[in-house]
Amino acid sequence: MPEQRDLVFPPGSLVLVAGLPGAGKSTLLRRLYGLTDTETEPVPAGGAVVIDSTQARNWWSPYLRPLPPRGRIPFVYATHVWRIGKALTDGRSVVAHTRGTWPHLLYGFGWLARRSGAGLHLVLLDVPPALARAGQHERGRVLTGPVFARHVRRWRKLVRRAHAGSLPPVASVTVLHREDADQVRDIKFG
């Protein structure tokens, strides 16, 4: 069994917790920071700010009810990215949730982190696709087969590049399997 451990990053860093949809990113953030999935704003915790896309989804929920779920995505993710950018430009350390399967977002976050004088650090939750699929069913938000297959292809490419050390513009990459993620005790800055 892996030992419990803390993940430690320099102050002012952007730490992105990435993984397939359903991999356990929000579950990890809930466990570490006591999130309840009812928050509508980023949560200050331990000198950092914790930003999950669920917060933006909850904030927009009363206004976007008439739209189908796919129609809400641009509003939710634009708000999510804006909140991360705002926290970074305010000089905050940030722990944020992201899928990691949209390469343009990783490059965008890298640019944003550099512009703010911060380092971008990835924590990749690498779980088997079947486990991520089960996580989608558990949370009640299941992607269609073709959409999920596209995420899996992109994710596998990202993890291969991480193991090969070819993921610009990141300062560090930590790849965690589910049992490793379960042993993370804290994400610290300093």
Side-chain angles (χ1 to χ4, degrees):
M1 177 180 224
E3 285 184 30
Q4 282 201 323
R5 66 178 184 154
D6 296 339
L7 301 178
V8 182
F9 302 97
S13 295
L14 168 58
V15 176
L16 292 179
V17 179
L20 286 170
K25 304 174 294 290
S26 293
T27 301
L28 177 64
L29 295 180
R30 278 196 303 271
R31 181 172 62 77
L32 294 179
Y33 299 106
L35 304 182
T36 63
D37 285 345
T38 60
E39 295 87 3
T40 58
E41 299 287 336
V43 174
V49 62
V50 182
I51 305 175
D52 190 317
S53 58
T54 302
Q55 298 158 349
R57 186 178 297 112
N58 292 344
W59 189 88
W60 276 108
S61 181
Y63 308 106
L64 300 179
R65 270 190 225 289
L67 291 178
R70 287 191 61 79
R72 301 173 196 168
I73 290 172
F75 296 95
V76 169
Y77 280 98
T79 302
H80 181 60
V81 171
W82 179 84
R83 287 174 169 182
I84 293 169
K86 170 108 174 59
L88 282 175
T89 56
D90 289 347
R92 306 288 303 271
S93 299
V94 178
V95 178
H97 163 291
T98 188
R99 284 183 178 163
T101 55
W102 291 347
H104 60 285
L105 278 182
L106 292 181
Y107 280 93
F109 283 130
W111 174 84
L112 189 59
R114 280 193 314 277
R115 186 177 163 105
S116 302
L120 171 59
H121 303 267
L122 293 181
V123 176
L124 305 180
L125 298 185
D126 189 24
V127 304
L131 194 56
R133 198 65 156 156
Q136 292 173 35
H137 284 283
E138 192 175 298
R139 72 180 186 192
R141 288 197 317 270
V142 180
L143 300 178
T144 65
V147 170
F148 184 61
R150 188 168 56 243
H151 281 287
V152 170
R153 282 192 304 274
R154 290 177 179 167
W155 179 255
R156 287 181 174 149
K157 182 177 179 182
L158 179 74
V159 171
R160 276 195 307 271
R161 290 184 65 197
H163 284 300
S166 63
L167 272 182
V170 300
S172 74
V173 179
T174 304
V175 180
L176 300 174
H177 299 286
R178 177 58 65 87
E179 57 275 7
D180 300 319
D182 289 344
Q183 298 306 312
V184 172
R185 192 175 45 190
D186 198 1
I187 296 175
K188 296 181 176 180
F189 297 88

